[in-house]
Amino acid sequence: MTLVDASAAVNFSLNGAPVTVRTAPDRRVIDLLREDLGLTGSKEGCGTGECGACTILVDGEPRLACLMLAAQLEGHAVETVESLEQTPLGRGLVDAFEAHGAVQCGYCMPGMEMTALALLRQAPSPDREAARRALSGNLCRCTGYVKIIDAVTRVRTESP
C-alpha cells in the first residue's frame, strides 16, 4: 500500500511577512491560522459564516476564515487581529474599543476589529450608518452595538 501525501505548499503573506506552509489544500483557514500557525486571535464562533468572529482581511477585504480553504490563500495578503498593533490605525482602533467600553467577553472582538479596520481604510471618518452597515455581519451577544459603533466612529490614529 502506498500512502499519498495530500498536502501542498501554500504561499502567502501573513501580517506582512511571507509564509509558506505545507497543508491540505482543503484545510479551513481558521484551523490553519489557529492550530498550525499559532495565531489564536481569530475565533471560531459558529463555524458556518453567520457570526463573523473569524473575520480576517484578505487583500484588505473582510473574509470569513471558517469558510475559506487554505488553497484560496495562495499569493494573497492575509491580515489577522494580531496585526492591529503594527499600525497607528490598528492601535487607534484597539484603543477606541477599550476607551468606549466596546469589549465585554471579547469573543467577537477580533472579527469586529478586522471588519472595522477594512472600513476605516476605505472611509477614515465613517458615520454611524456606515459603521453599522459594515459591521452587520458581525454578531455580539454581550454589549449590544452602541458602544461598538461609538468606538468605530471615533478612532484616532494620533495622540490628541
Side-chain angles (χ1 to χ4, degrees), residues 69-122:
L69 303 178
Q72 293 176 293
L73 298 180
E74 179 66 33
H76 293 282
V78 176
E79 297 169 84
T80 67
V81 70
E82 285 86 353
S83 72
L84 287 177
E85 294 293 330
Q86 296 176 353
T87 67
L89 180 57
R91 282 191 297 278
L93 184 60
V94 170
D95 291 346
F97 269 73
E98 183 180 328
H100 292 281
V103 178
Q104 289 288 312
C105 81
Y107 206 83
C108 66
M109 284 303 104
M112 292 274 186
E113 290 173 336
M114 296 310 289
T115 301
L117 180 63
L119 169 67
L120 293 167
R121 285 178 176 165
Q122 295 175 356

Side-chain angles (χ1 to χ4, degrees), residues 115-116 119-136 145-155:
T115 301
L119 169 67
L120 293 167
R121 285 178 176 165
Q122 295 175 356
S125 300
D127 62 21
R128 296 184 72 76
E129 182 55 31
R132 201 173 289 119
R133 237 180 296 117
L135 294 170
S136 65
Y145 296 90
V146 172
K147 293 179 180 180
I148 293 169
I149 299 300
D150 287 347
V152 172
T153 57
R154 296 179 183 148
V155 171

Side-chain angles (χ1 to χ4, degrees), residues 11-17 19 29 32-33 37 39 42 56-61 65 68 70 72-81 83 86 114:
N11 303 290
F12 57 101
S13 167
L14 180 59
N15 297 332
V19 172
V29 170
L32 178 72
L33 292 172
L37 299 172
L39 298 176
S42 300
I56 59 174
L57 301 185
V58 177
D59 296 333
E61 296 293 323
M68 287 192 74
Q72 293 176 293
L73 298 180
E74 179 66 33
H76 293 282
V78 176
E79 297 169 84
T80 67
V81 70
S83 72
Q86 296 176 353
M114 296 310 289

Side-chain angles (χ1 to χ4, degrees), residues 49-53 55 64 132-139:
E50 297 292 326
C51 73
T55 302
L64 301 171
R132 201 173 289 119
R133 237 180 296 117
L135 294 170
S136 65
N138 296 80
L139 303 180

